[in-house]
Amino acid sequence: HPWPESVNVTVTDKGVVSLHKLLNTLLCNKGRKYYVENDVAYSGFWKGNVQDSSAFMDSSSLTSLGFPVFTGDASGDQAGLFWGSERHIKRFETADSTPNKSSNFRELSTTVVGLEKWANKWRNKRVLYRSDNTTTVSIINRQGTMANDLILVSQAINHFCDKYNIDLASVHISGVINVLADKLSRFLRHQD
């Protein structure tokens, strides 16, 4: 059957709100740079196809193409990250810790913690973030999400990228080899 010239559709108020959220998510990154997938120098890089080994990126905090690499992980109440010789730990507020927020929220928020700490050093650069959380990797690479509890975190990441002109991508690192970031996220300081 051919489609008619016009179709009447009834959309509920909730549906209208969802459509507005989708539109805002799609348009919020209009200033961000997008790169051609078949660009020879960066072939597939922003789709998570990094040729460098985790050991190489751990030791250098760079890709072989010279892009900065930072790595993070989150526990139930803390974020742990490293970039080069720098280590960073941030305790989450009670409202953002287990059981009040999801592990996806904390894992994605860990990216924001890293950007808060180091974005000024990565101005006008491509940067790779490694996470053992596939939701975080996906949201960063898609530059947005429709998950209500993650939208504001995703927008904060986009804000830092826009402010510092950072072209951010993410790649999954197996939790088994994400040892340093995992230990940092669980590190407890004993006070006298």
Side-chain angles (χ1 to χ4, degrees):
H1 292 51
W3 287 95
E5 282 188 37
S6 65
V7 176
N8 291 328
V9 177
T10 303
V11 180
T12 65
D13 289 341
K14 186 176 179 181
V16 170
V17 170
S18 293
L19 288 172
H20 281 288
K21 283 183 183 179
L22 175 62
L23 182 61
N24 287 334
T25 299
L26 293 173
L27 295 178
C28 73
N29 298 324
K30 60 185 173 188
R32 293 275 302 276
K33 294 179 180 174
Y34 293 89
Y35 293 87
V36 178
E37 183 178 334
N38 294 325
D39 182 341
V40 176
Y42 308 110
S43 179
F45 181 78
W46 292 143
K47 290 203 172 256
N49 299 324
V50 179
Q51 303 303 314
D52 305 306
S53 69
S54 288
F56 175 82
M57 290 187 284
D58 280 346
S59 66
S60 66
S61 286
L62 294 170
T63 68
S64 57
L65 296 172
F67 302 133
V69 176
F70 73 115
T71 306
D73 198 13
S75 64
D77 62 357
Q78 191 164 276
L81 302 104
F82 70 94
W83 173 55
S85 62
E86 296 187 43
R87 311 293 185 254
H88 187 64
I89 297 169
K90 180 177 180 181
R91 194 159 226 18
F92 291 114
E93 299 290 329
T94 302
D96 295 336
S97 298
T98 301
N100 301 314
K101 292 285 185 173
S102 70
S103 60
N104 288 334
F105 176 89
R106 288 185 301 282
E107 293 281 357
L108 190 61
S109 295
T110 299
T111 311
V112 177
V113 172
L115 290 168
E116 287 172 342
K117 179 77 174 161
W118 298 305
N120 62 331
K121 298 177 182 182
W122 299 328
R123 186 180 299 274
N124 301 318
K125 292 187 178 179
R126 287 182 154 189
V127 177
L128 181 66
Y129 178 64
R130 296 186 304 164
S131 173
D132 59 15
N133 182 273
T134 56
T135 299
T136 293
V137 171
S138 176
I139 290 171
I140 291 170
N141 289 337
R142 288 182 304 134
Q143 300 177 358
T145 181
M146 292 302 295
N148 287 333
D149 61 328
L150 303 178
I151 289 173
L152 291 177
V153 182
S154 176
Q155 288 174 345
I157 291 169
N158 291 334
H159 167 76
F160 277 103
C161 291
D162 291 341
K163 180 177 178 179
Y164 293 98
N165 194 32
I166 294 171
D167 183 22
L168 181 67
S170 186
V171 63
H172 184 261
I173 180 173
S174 167
V176 174
I177 60 175
N178 195 15
V179 177
L180 178 56
D182 179 69
K183 285 185 178 182
L184 291 168
S185 76
R186 300 172 193 283
F187 180 76
L188 292 175
R189 289 177 56 181
H190 298 285
Q191 297 182 357
D192 296 334

